[in-house]
Amino acid sequence: MPTYQAVLFDFFGTLTRGVQRSAAHQTTADLLGCPADTLAAVLDRTFYQRASGEHGNAEATLRWVCVQAGVHPSDTAVRAAVAARHRAVRADTRLRRDAVSALAGLRRLGLRTGVISDCTHELPAFLPQLAVAPLLDVRIFSVQLGRCKPDAALYLTAAQRLDVRPEDCLYVGDGGSRELTGAQRAGMTAVRLTAPDLAGHLVFDAEEGWDGPVVESLSEVVELVDALPATC
């Protein structure tokens, strides 16, 4: 592998443990007057539309979801459901035990760090309150950029904001949204995280047949980078 100036991470399932929708999402469904399984099915099939911000802000997007689900809640109910969904997504988000230490370790080695996430409106709102936030030099959110992985725009925007070349970046992800292939096509080196908890992870358009490098923990990423020869 080459040496690097930056390491970029996927968020859900990479900096966090595997994600599953918890019982907390029932509140959102109840507020909307929608069966929970119906709401989950609509959320699943519309993920990329929602994650690219096609339907406006969080409230406008949830109103559109309601139309797809065939329910027509009041304005008050929709606003309450937006808040409930925010709390539920936040509750489902559990940072990996070594997320903070890995990011800090990479920064001690002189590397810049960042996150590139396919996400809806909730993550940009609560990420600043997470322990990893001060350790991320750049944050690229699909819902803000209007593109989803594996679109090269996300990777190239991250590199541009870090003022580094794509080929000087290492990208680490669990493989959702064919993100590893996307990183490679953008000129980056990609590594797949294969932590055991990802077996039940909620993932869309997973990378198939990955034959590139893998790690089982974020700590291994620091070890991998630290073992590389120093640049001149």
Side-chain angles (χ1 to χ4, degrees), residues 132-187:
V132 295
L135 300 170
L136 296 169
D137 296 302
V138 68
R139 306 167 192 176
I140 306 297
F141 302 120
S142 64
V143 72
Q144 294 178 347
L145 196 64
R147 308 283 186 87
C148 291
K149 303 172 194 173
D151 194 306
L154 287 91
Y155 309 95
L156 298 178
T157 298
Q160 181 181 41
R161 292 184 185 177
L162 290 172
D163 195 26
V164 298
R165 301 179 305 168
E167 52 264 42
D168 293 327
C169 297
L170 178 68
Y171 181 84
V172 183
D174 63 273
S177 298
R178 293 179 286 123
E179 61 187 349
L180 306 174
T181 299
Q184 286 183 326
R185 289 175 178 168

Side-chain angles (χ1 to χ4, degrees), residues 43-202:
L43 292 174
D44 285 351
R45 69 176 172 81
T46 65
F47 174 72
Y48 288 109
Q49 290 168 282
R50 294 181 297 109
S52 62
E54 284 186 20
H55 299 288
N57 63 19
E59 185 173 331
T61 299
L62 194 55
R63 290 182 188 281
W64 177 81
V65 166
C66 289
V67 173
Q68 309 311 304
V71 295
H72 304 282
S74 67
D75 292 348
T76 299
V78 171
R79 287 192 290 270
V82 168
R85 175 167 164 77
H86 178 103
R87 291 191 296 270
V89 175
R90 174 66 184 88
D92 292 344
T93 303
R94 299 169 296 153
L95 292 175
R96 293 193 178 279
R97 291 182 179 179
D98 57 351
V100 170
S101 61
L103 288 169
L106 291 169
R107 288 164 70 94
R108 283 195 297 272
L109 292 173
L111 282 81
R112 307 195 71 188
T113 59
V115 66
I116 301 176
S117 179
D118 276 354
C119 63
T120 48
H121 297 279
E122 297 78 22
L123 179 59
F126 69 68
L127 189 144
Q129 285 76 56
L130 301 183
V132 295
L135 300 170
L136 296 169
D137 296 302
V138 68
R139 306 167 192 176
I140 306 297
F141 302 120
S142 64
V143 72
Q144 294 178 347
L145 196 64
R147 308 283 186 87
C148 291
K149 303 172 194 173
D151 194 306
L154 287 91
Y155 309 95
L156 298 178
T157 298
Q160 181 181 41
R161 292 184 185 177
L162 290 172
D163 195 26
V164 298
R165 301 179 305 168
E167 52 264 42
D168 293 327
C169 297
L170 178 68
Y171 181 84
V172 183
D174 63 273
S177 298
R178 293 179 286 123
E179 61 187 349
L180 306 174
T181 299
Q184 286 183 326
R185 289 175 178 168
M188 299 180 180
T189 299
V191 173
R192 186 171 201 163
L193 178 69
T194 58
D197 61 82
L198 291 172
H201 178 48
L202 177 65

